[in-house]
Amino acid sequence: MNRTPNILVTGALGQIGSELIRELVKKYGKNNVLASDIKKPFSQMNGVDFVQLDCLDSQAVQKTVDSHQINQIYHLAALLSAVAEANPQKAWKVNMDGLFNILESAREFNCSVFTPSSIGAFGPSTPPDQTPQDTIQRPTSIYGVTKVAGELLCDYYHKRFGTDTRGVRYPGIISNLTPPGGGTTDYAVDIYYEAVKKGHYTCFLKPDTNLDMMYMPDAISAAINLMEADPDKLFHRNAFNVTAMSFTPEEIKKSIQKYMPEFSMDYEVDPVRQAIADSWPNSMNDSAAKEEWGWNPGYNLDTMTRDMLTTLKKRL
Ligand code: NAD
Ligand code: AKB
């Protein structure tokens, strides 16, 4: 981007938004970042401006973008896979109508837009190993349906109106600041909290369920680096496969046991989340992101485990 970004983040109080805001403020300064969410924040957000904004209210979205002279939007407001499956009608509204309202304001006020897609955009007929960038996308969860439709809608706005839309297909994100919002990959966050608090975790996915994952610092740099990438180099826009590691519950257990040998785990499988996980890839191929904008994750399972346990032991 040539312009100084004046950024709006929707869903800013969620797992990713709460950490993205910090990095955006570090990079662009407080005066260039406006946080928003349908909820109110519990505390002052270190002086960052906050506006309560429901993405389903198109006029409020338009007014916010206009009055704050926004020229870049990170649209994170959404319902995640497990929550979405419990209320598909609401998931369609939030994930689709919310995105539509953001894209319409972006078109009108000439904003660039980052919208995360997910490994959820793939389904059981997708090649599960080294899942290619361009491949079959027939997801079976409502979350996945909205993610594929969202990718297509963002590409449409780029092609039809020239709106600068960009996105990644995130894997499960692991972090220690804000708890995850109700997804299928949440076990890989919960396990660290329970390891530190109780030395034991009961996992809701089967021991051999392989899924792509990523530590939060890499997820944040993926978003910011993609938004800063030279548009001429972007052949794909919505959305790039990005991954940092792929593991099963048994493998993350062993990784924790390297640092906490007494840690134990058992299983009580949740059939809804297991079915969703079984429909997602085991591991994605993210070479397009590497080639087109230099994607390069910094953490693997071992370095992430060390950092998660050190941070949580200090805090809990
Ligand atoms: P989250 O559930 O933690 O946060 C979402 C936020 O959106 C919440 O704070 C919620 O209050 C807000 N919200 C809900 N409805 C809203 C509305 N109508 N208007 C405004 N705000 C509303 O989610 P997250 O994990 O931070 O995910 C952000 C984005 O990244 C989503 O699009 C999600 O699908 C995607 N993603 C996340 C992961 C992950 O592992 N966290 C993985 C893949 C993709
Ligand atoms: C979920 O499990 O719903 C998210 C995701 C991978 O999209 N964490």
Side-chain angles (χ1 to χ4, degrees), residues 125-170:
S125 51
T126 300
D129 297 309
Q130 279 300 301
T131 301
Q133 174 65 40
D134 301 306
T135 185
I136 301 164
Q137 291 184 266
R138 306 284 296 173
T140 44
S141 68
I142 187 65
Y143 178 67
V145 170
T146 66
K147 286 298 171 190
V148 177
E151 289 183 10
L152 293 173
L153 192 61
C154 290
D155 271 345
Y156 178 80
Y157 267 71
H158 176 61
K159 191 159 174 274
R160 177 77 171 75
F161 303 117
T163 310
D164 184 0
T165 57
R166 308 180 186 195
V168 295
R169 294 182 186 129
Y170 277 135

Side-chain angles (χ1 to χ4, degrees), residues 44-122:
Q44 294 289 322
M45 300 180 64
N46 293 322
V48 179
D49 283 343
F50 178 87
V51 59
Q52 198 170 5
L53 178 65
D54 179 356
C55 292
L56 296 179
D57 183 343
S58 58
Q59 284 185 357
V61 171
Q62 202 181 25
K63 204 171 137 208
T64 304
V65 171
D66 187 17
S67 62
H68 290 85
Q69 299 177 332
I70 297 298
N71 58 27
Q72 188 172 97
I73 304 173
Y74 287 83
H75 177 50
L76 305 182
L79 300 195
L80 272 75
S81 58
V83 172
E85 214 47 47
N87 192 343
Q89 293 79 6
K90 184 173 174 194
W92 178 264
K93 270 197 104 43
V94 175
N95 292 9
M96 294 315 304
D97 294 355
L99 174 60
F100 178 75
N101 291 339
I102 291 295
L103 289 171
E104 270 299 282
S105 284
R107 178 182 67 77
E108 190 176 348
F109 297 103
N110 197 21
C111 305
S112 52
V113 185
F114 174 82
T115 312
S117 184
S118 160
I119 47 172
F122 297 117

Side-chain angles (χ1 to χ4, degrees), residues 1 31 48 64 73 84 93 117 140-141 145 154 174 180 183 186 203 209 211 213 226 239 246 249 291:
M1 282 198 49
N31 295 338
V48 179
T64 304
I73 304 173
K93 270 197 104 43
S117 184
T140 44
S141 68
V145 170
C154 290
I174 291 142
D186 293 10
C203 185
T209 311
L211 290 168
M213 300 280 177
L226 175 57
S246 166
E291 281 156 26

